């Protein structure tokens, strides 16, 4: 069930990453505390900021080149930066095993990553790169807040106090309230305290959940999810991405379809990456049993919408759409779309993905077979 683990990116966007964190200490960095210093090695995009200064609102977001969920939320951060021009967004790359990959990654993202981007200040170990865990930003922000999952964003207010911490996918509403001067800091502090308590309860289930995920038995995962929701009812929303993926792998297609529709309600249904992740989960070639026609039709519509939102310029989304076309019995459209996916993949990390060409050949054979018939 390799893909089940891989597609938990969908679950991570709902906040599952935070469950891996240990129970928070009383002295851990949190909402209401003074923001740590901005200590980065260099800015690789945008006008450099030497230090956080009073009078400005900042969004400090942590990401890495190897983090799939980070890539998925980058366009959303760009949209928010354009919407709130006076807010200073800084995307800080942390925990990089290969720091040399950061600049090419940012260049590849281009206009999709249109805000300030910096690299963590990692101390050197002689002539070699030091331990990325020892980076100033990783230690003083993420580790201090006892956070182990990325992407994670911090909103820093004009008084240089931390006003909000969370997943960038949930950043829009609190940021708007901060900008409009409507943010209730005391309520945010109380909510953050409650959140930490819930995370501490849910973290106890993580070893059991991890074991279930490694067992290749979807129903075991569903059982653990049910136990977690029973313990903390509020966790249902953050776990629904993982639950959807698991329902598909378990062959519970009607339940999966109903949950997918719930996930895509509201703003999530306008997010290209979320739409594509849901579609791929359904048409994943590694599924043991092919989903029913209703679920495949849903995947096709989700992939089409994702492709439109990305203006037909995303290689992974085009690859997903091609597979959805193929599973829907439209090999000619699948072939055409897969050719576009391969062209878009040139010069990116997907270019060496052999599965793209394998699927192209599969679609080509299906088209040729139809012609003979």
């Amino acid at each position: 069930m390799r893909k089940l683990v891989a597609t938990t990116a969908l679950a991570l966007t709902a906040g599952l990453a935070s469950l891996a964190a240990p129970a928070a200490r009383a002295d851990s960095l949190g909402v209401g505390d003074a923001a740590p210093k901005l200590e980065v090695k260099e800015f690789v995009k945008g006008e450099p900021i030497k230090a956080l200064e009073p009078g400005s609102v900042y969004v400090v977001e942590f990401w890495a080149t190897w983090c799939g969920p980070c890539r998925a939320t980058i366009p959303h951060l760009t949209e928010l930066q354009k919407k709130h021009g006076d807010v200073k967004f800084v995307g800080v790359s942390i925990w990089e095993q290969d720091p040399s990959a950061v600049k090419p990654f940012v260049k590849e993202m281009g206009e999709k990553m249109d805000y300030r981007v910096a690299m963590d200040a990692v101390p050197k170990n002689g002539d070699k790169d030091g331990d990325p865990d020892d980076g100033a930003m990783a230690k003083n922000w993420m580790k201090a807040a006892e956070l182990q999952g990325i992407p994670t964003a911090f909103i820093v207010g004009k008084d240089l106090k931390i006003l909000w911490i969370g997943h960038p996918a949930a950043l829009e509403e609190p940021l708007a309230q901060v900008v409009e001067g409507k943010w209730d800091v005391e309520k945010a502090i109380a909510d953050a305290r409650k959140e930490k308590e819930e995370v501490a309860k849910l973290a106890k289930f993580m070893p059991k959940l991890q074991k279930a995920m490694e067992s290749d038995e979807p129903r075991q995962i569903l059982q653990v999810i049910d136990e977690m929701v029973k313990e903390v009812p509020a966790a249902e929303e953050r776990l629904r991405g993982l639950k959807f993926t698991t329902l598909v792998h378990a062959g519970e297609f009607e339940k999966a379809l109903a949950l997918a529709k719930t996930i895509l309600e509201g703003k999530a249904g306008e997010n290209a990456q979320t739409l594509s992740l849901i579609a791929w989960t359904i048409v994943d070639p590694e599924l043991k049993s092919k989903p029913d026609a209703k679920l495949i039709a849903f995947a096709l519509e989700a992939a089409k919408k994702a492709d439109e939102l990305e203006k037909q310029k995303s290689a992974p989304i085009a690859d997903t759409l091609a597979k959805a076309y193929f599973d829907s019995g439209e090999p000619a459209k699948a072939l055409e779309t897969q050719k576009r996916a391969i062209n878009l993949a040139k010069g990116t990390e997907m270019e060496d993905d052999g599965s793209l060409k394998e699927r192209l050949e599969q679609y080509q054979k299906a088209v040729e077979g139809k012609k003979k018939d």
Side-chain angles (χ1 to χ4, degrees):
M1 201 186 299
R2 181 176 59 83
K3 280 290 183 179
L4 177 55
V5 176
T7 51
T8 50
L10 182 60
L12 295 179
T13 62
L16 184 58
S18 63
L19 303 188
R25 303 188 315 269
D27 61 344
S28 63
L29 182 67
V31 175
D33 293 335
K37 292 181 180 179
L38 186 69
E39 300 178 80
V40 300
K41 176 184 178 183
E42 63 177 307
F43 278 81
V44 298
K45 187 168 187 175
E47 183 181 353
I49 296 175
K50 292 183 179 180
L52 303 182
E53 297 180 349
S56 293
V57 174
Y58 297 86
V59 172
V60 182
E61 185 260 351
F62 294 90
W63 66 281
T65 56
W66 47 262
C67 169
C70 298
R71 177 186 284 268
T73 58
I74 285 171
H76 179 59
L77 288 164
T78 295
E79 290 175 6
L80 292 178
Q81 174 66 98
K82 290 179 179 178
K83 185 175 181 179
H84 302 288
D86 292 336
V87 176
K88 298 178 181 179
F89 281 66
V90 183
V92 182
S93 170
I94 62 170
W95 300 334
E96 296 285 0
Q97 296 300 320
D98 180 13
S100 66
V102 175
K103 291 181 180 179
F105 178 94
V106 174
K107 184 177 180 181
E108 177 193 331
M109 293 301 294
E111 294 180 355
K112 293 180 182 179
M113 197 174 197
D114 199 7
Y115 48 88
R116 292 176 177 85
V117 182
M119 296 175 63
D120 196 2
V122 179
K124 286 281 188 179
N125 182 11
D127 295 331
K128 299 180 180 179
D129 291 327
D131 187 337
D133 287 344
D134 291 334
M137 297 298 286
K139 286 175 61 178
N140 299 331
W141 291 71
M142 292 293 290
K143 186 176 181 180
E146 298 195 312
L147 297 168
Q148 298 179 355
I150 52 175
T152 293
F154 292 68
I155 298 178
V156 179
K158 293 181 180 181
D159 59 356
L160 300 188
K161 296 285 184 68
I162 296 172
L163 301 181
W164 181 86
I165 304 172
H167 195 285
L171 176 62
E172 185 170 3
E173 185 175 342
L175 180 59
Q177 291 186 30
V178 169
V179 171
E180 294 168 8
K182 298 178 180 179
W183 186 245
D184 187 335
V185 179
E186 293 305 317
K187 182 178 183 301
I189 292 172
D191 289 346
R193 186 180 300 116
K194 182 180 179 181
E195 170 79 3
K196 285 185 177 181
E197 291 172 355
E198 291 179 348
V199 166
K201 290 180 181 179
L202 293 171
K204 297 175 182 178
F205 290 90
M206 287 308 292
K208 189 175 182 179
L209 179 62
Q210 185 64 36
K211 185 177 180 180
M213 291 177 68
E214 293 172 354
S215 71
D216 202 26
E217 292 293 338
R219 297 188 187 283
Q220 288 188 24
I221 301 173
L222 292 172
Q223 182 179 341
V224 179
I225 291 174
D226 288 343
E227 291 174 7
M228 295 171 79
V229 172
K230 184 177 180 180
E231 178 74 15
V232 181
E236 184 173 9
E237 183 175 350
R238 77 172 65 190
L239 290 166
R240 63 187 183 181
L242 177 60
K243 186 172 183 178
F244 165 72
T245 303
T246 310
L247 284 170
V248 174
H249 281 263
E252 298 280 357
F253 300 138
E254 285 190 18
K255 292 181 180 179
L257 179 58
L259 186 54
K261 290 178 179 179
T262 300
I263 292 172
L264 294 182
E265 287 177 354
K267 294 176 182 178
E270 299 299 323
N271 183 287
Q273 285 70 34
T274 302
L275 287 161
S276 183
L277 278 168
I278 283 182
W280 180 257
T281 300
I282 296 168
V283 301
D284 182 353
E286 293 191 15
L287 284 175
K288 292 180 179 179
S289 57
K290 184 177 179 178
D292 58 25
K294 288 183 180 180
L295 198 54
I296 291 174
F298 184 86
L300 179 58
E301 292 307 310
K304 282 181 179 178
K305 188 172 182 179
D307 196 43
E308 290 171 3
L309 288 170
E310 287 293 299
K311 299 179 181 180
Q312 292 78 43
K313 293 182 179 180
S314 168
I317 289 176
D319 179 42
T320 298
L321 177 57
K323 185 61 166 60
Y325 272 130
F326 184 75
D327 287 1
S328 299
E330 301 183 69
K333 287 186 178 180
L335 179 60
E336 178 186 355
T337 308
Q338 192 68 10
K339 287 179 179 178
R340 172 158 60 90
I342 290 174
N343 285 331
L344 289 169
K346 291 178 181 178
T348 74
E349 59 184 18
M350 283 187 69
E351 186 173 11
D352 297 326
D353 186 348
S355 66
L356 292 178
K357 292 183 179 179
E358 289 176 6
R359 284 190 283 278
L360 180 72
E361 293 172 0
Q362 180 185 17
Y363 306 156
Q364 181 71 57
K365 288 179 181 178
V367 170
E368 291 172 354
K370 274 202 168 187
K371 288 180 180 179
K372 290 179 181 180
D373 294 339

